[in-house]
């Protein structure tokens, strides 16, 4: 039997898991990563991707990625340092 593929992007992890379960699909790997576009707890991508008017077989595994929100870091004080010193101190933040 075929079911419509759910669009998980932008909804919460719990809502995504329910959408998968309701369609008799299988929950695959769920990863988490920092993302500045979607708030913490919202799905930012899925595999297979959502396509309008597209069906998949019941039992198909769907994986998705959940946002951890914006990654925060402490920026070191560089006022008064020479440019090269400031660059070396902040270099690890850029990479």
């Amino acid at each position: 039997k075929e079911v419509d593929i759910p669009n998980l992007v932008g909804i919460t992890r719990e809502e995504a898991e329910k959408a998968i379960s309701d369609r008799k699909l299988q929950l695959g790997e769920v990863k988490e990563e920092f993302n500045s576009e979607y708030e913490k707890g919202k799905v930012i991508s899925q595999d297979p991707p959502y396509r309008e008017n597209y069906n998949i077989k019941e039992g198909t595994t769907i994986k998705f990625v959940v946002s951890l929100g914006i990654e925060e870091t402490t920026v070191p004080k560089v006022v008064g340092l020479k440019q090269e010193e400031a660059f070396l101190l902040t270099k690890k933040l850029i990479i």
Side-chain angles (χ1 to χ4, degrees), residues 5-17 19-20 23 35 37-39 41-51 62-67:
I5 188 167
N7 184 4
L8 307 178
V9 175
I11 65 176
T12 66
R13 178 182 185 147
E14 293 76 21
E15 292 169 328
E17 290 176 356
I20 289 169
R23 289 171 177 80
N35 184 282
E37 188 177 339
Y38 291 93
E39 66 184 79
K42 300 285 182 158
V43 176
I44 59 178
S45 66
Q46 70 183 71
D47 182 33
Y50 171 76
R51 289 192 288 176
I62 296 188
K63 304 182 283 188
F64 59 88
V65 180
V66 177
S67 173

Side-chain angles (χ1 to χ4, degrees), residues 30-42:
V30 177
K31 294 182 179 180
E32 295 179 322
E33 57 186 55
F34 291 104
N35 184 282
S36 60
E37 188 177 339
Y38 291 93
E39 66 184 79
K40 183 178 181 176
K42 300 285 182 158

Side-chain angles (χ1 to χ4, degrees), residues 78 80-92 94:
V78 296
L81 297 178
K82 293 181 181 176
Q83 182 178 359
E84 184 177 322
E85 293 171 324
F87 175 75
L88 291 173
L89 193 58
T90 59
K91 182 178 175 181
K92 64 181 177 186
I94 298 168

